Amino acid sequence: MTKEQYEQWSEPYRKNKLGQNILIMADKFITALVFVSYPVFLFYSLWNQSTDEFIKVFLIPAAAFFAVSVFRKSYSASRPYEIWDIEPLLKKDTRGKSFPSRHVFSVFILGMAYFHTIKVLGITLFFSGALLAFIRVIGGVHFPKDVVAGAFFGILSGLLFWIL
C-alpha cells in the first residue's frame, strides 16, 4: 500500500464525519466484544468441557499472544502514520510494533478456539476479524500486510487446537 492508496481508501471516511465515527465505534465495539467474550467463553469451557479442552482454550491463545507480543516488540515495524506523516482516523500514538496486528491476531485465534467448540461463534469472530482488519487499515494504524499476518498467525496458532 502506498500513501496515495491509503488516502484514496480512507477519503470517504475523512470527508464524512458520521462515517469516521462509525469506523471508530466499530473498532472499539469489535475490540470490546472480543475482550469481554473471552472470559465468558473460558467460564463456559470450564463448566462444559473436559479439563484438557479448557487448558487448550486458555493456554494456546495466551502462549501465542505472548509470542506475537514479543515478536512485535523486537521487530518493531513502523505504522503508516509514522512513515507517511498522516493523521490516522483511529487515534493512536504508539511507535512501531505494527507487524503483525495484535488486534486482528487476537480475534482470529479466539475465533479458532470458539470454532473448535461452538462453530457459529467462531464464524462470527472470523467475520468480525475481517471487518476489524479492514477498519485497522482504513483507520491508518496498520498496513495490509500487518492485518493479513495477524489473521494468518491467529489461524495457524489456532490450528494447534486440532493438532494437540
Side-chain angles (χ1 to χ4, degrees), residues 36-155:
V36 170
S37 72
Y38 185 52
V40 172
F41 182 70
L42 286 175
F43 280 116
Y44 169 84
S45 296
L46 183 63
W47 292 109
N48 295 300
Q49 294 183 304
S50 69
T51 303
D52 290 345
E53 286 296 308
F54 172 75
I55 289 171
K56 284 196 290 186
V57 166
F58 178 73
L59 286 182
I60 291 172
F65 185 84
F66 177 76
V68 164
S69 296
V70 168
F71 175 79
R72 277 170 37 112
K73 187 171 179 144
S74 64
Y75 185 70
S76 198
S78 297
R79 295 177 179 273
Y81 59 82
E82 293 176 87
I83 293 173
W84 298 328
D85 191 34
I86 58 170
E87 182 67 31
L89 295 171
L90 302 176
K91 301 302 176 213
K92 192 153 185 81
D93 58 4
T94 304
R95 301 316 242 178
K97 298 182 273 186
S98 179
F99 181 87
S101 167
R102 202 166 49 186
H103 277 80
V104 173
F105 165 81
S106 297
V107 175
F108 275 90
I109 191 163
L110 294 180
M112 291 295 285
Y114 293 9
F115 186 78
H116 181 70
T117 306
I118 306 169
K119 303 248 185 286
V120 70
L121 289 179
I123 292 168
T124 301
L125 249 62
F126 297 146
F127 282 113
S128 298
L131 179 58
L132 185 64
F134 170 80
I135 290 168
R136 304 294 288 176
V137 171
I138 295 301
V141 296
H142 283 293
F143 290 103
K145 67 179 172 62
D146 301 335
V147 297
V148 168
F152 175 77
F153 290 128
I155 291 168

